[in-house]
Amino acid sequence: MTTPKPPENPSNEGASENVRADLSTPAVGRLSLYYRELHRLLDAGQMSTNSRDLAAMVNVSAAVVRRDLSSIGSVGRRGVGYDVALLAQHIGVVLGSGVHWKAVMIGVGYLGNALLRYRGFERLGFSLAAAFDTDSAKINRVVGETRILSMEQLEPVLKDLKPELAILTVPSEQANEVASRIVALGIQGILNFAPTTLRVPSSVAVINVDLASELQQLVFRIQNG
C-alpha cells in the first residue's frame, strides 16, 4: 500500500518524506494520540509539557514518547520539556494534518450521521465537502455543516470537488461497488467502516474500522488479561 500524495500546500514543504517512510504503523498511531492530547492541552491553556506527562495521557512509557518524538526531529529541553504549540504543529505536518484534506462521505445511516456531526475533523485538517446516500428522504438535508446529495450525483460532484479521501459507511454488500466508483473518480484514500475487505488498487490507501471486530478483540483481552 502506498501513501496518498497530499494536496499541494506550502505548509507541507518542511515535513521530511524520509521521516514518514521510516515511521512504523504503531508509531504513527501513537503520534496521532500525542497530537490529540497536545490540542487538549492547548485548549486548556497549557504551553509546555514533558515526556512523562504526555506518556501518562496515552498510556505508554516516557521512553517510548521520547523515542517517537526524536524520530521526527523533536527533542525536549531538560527542565523545560516541549513547547506544546510547536510540537503539535510539527507532528501535524509529519502526519499530513498540517495541510488541508478534502473528504466526502458515502452512506449517511446512524454512523454516518454521527460522523457528520463530529467537529474534530476541521482541527485535524479535514473538511467534509459532501455526503451521499440513496435514501430520497435524506437528500438535500444538511447534517452538521454538510449537505447530503444523491448517489446519482456522485460522479459530477466528485469531478468538480476533487476530494482526496472518502469515508465509507455503506452496507458490506454495496461497499466494493461504491469503492470502485470513487477510486475511478480519483479518491486516494478510504476510511472503510463497512465490514468487508475492499478490492481496490494497491495505490489506494485503505484503513478498515470494524467495530464488531474491535469489540471481539476487547473481549479477548478482558478474558485473557
Side-chain angles (χ1 to χ4, degrees):
M1 180 187 301
T2 60
T3 302
K5 181 181 179 181
E8 293 183 5
N9 189 309
S11 64
N12 192 52
E13 291 176 358
S16 167
E17 292 187 3
N18 289 334
V19 168
R20 291 195 189 107
D22 290 339
L23 290 173
S24 67
T25 298
V28 171
R30 291 192 298 270
L31 286 171
S32 182
L33 295 178
Y34 304 153
Y35 189 70
R36 179 193 68 192
E37 296 304 326
L38 288 167
H39 276 286
R40 288 184 179 176
L41 293 178
L42 286 174
D43 289 342
Q46 186 169 329
M47 295 296 102
S48 64
T49 189
N50 56 53
S51 57
R52 182 184 64 255
D53 291 343
L54 196 53
M57 294 175 197
V58 300
N59 196 31
V60 297
S61 71
V64 168
V65 172
R66 290 192 294 270
R67 184 175 68 243
D68 288 340
L69 298 184
S70 65
S71 72
I72 62 170
S74 294
V75 179
R77 295 170 56 191
R78 185 178 296 276
V80 177
Y82 300 92
D83 181 294
V84 172
L86 289 178
L87 183 56
Q89 181 183 33
H90 185 57
I91 293 176
V93 170
V94 170
L95 293 178
S97 295
V99 298
H100 186 78
W101 295 86
K102 191 181 295 183
V104 294
M105 177 175 292
I106 317 295
V108 190
Y110 291 117
L111 177 58
N113 199 290
L115 291 172
L116 286 178
R117 296 178 188 278
Y118 175 58
R119 303 320 315 157
F121 290 124
E122 287 289 343
R123 165 176 282 180
L124 298 176
F126 305 103
S127 66
L128 284 173
F132 298 86
D133 201 275
T134 57
D135 186 349
S136 59
K138 299 175 183 177
I139 306 307
N140 288 323
R141 284 179 51 206
V142 176
V143 180
E145 297 179 359
T146 305
R147 184 172 298 278
I148 302 173
L149 305 175
S150 168
M151 284 294 290
E152 296 177 358
Q153 299 171 267
L154 184 70
E155 277 77 11
V157 171
L158 263 63
K159 287 178 181 177
D160 179 53
L161 291 176
K162 296 180 173 57
E164 299 85 20
L165 309 175
I167 302 172
L168 210 59
T169 56
V170 298
S172 58
E173 60 270 19
Q174 300 173 13
N176 271 291
E177 178 187 352
V178 172
S180 295
R181 288 176 67 182
I182 60 179
V183 168
L185 292 164
I187 289 295
Q188 301 175 48
I190 300 173
L191 183 61
N192 176 40
F193 284 90
T196 189
T197 300
L198 298 182
R199 298 185 295 274
V200 296
S202 59
S203 59
V204 179
V206 177
I207 296 295
N208 295 297
V209 184
D210 188 333
L211 299 180
S213 176
E214 297 296 332
L215 283 172
Q216 286 179 324
Q217 293 179 55
L218 177 61
V219 169
F220 179 85
R221 291 184 62 179
I222 292 172
Q223 292 178 333
N224 296 275

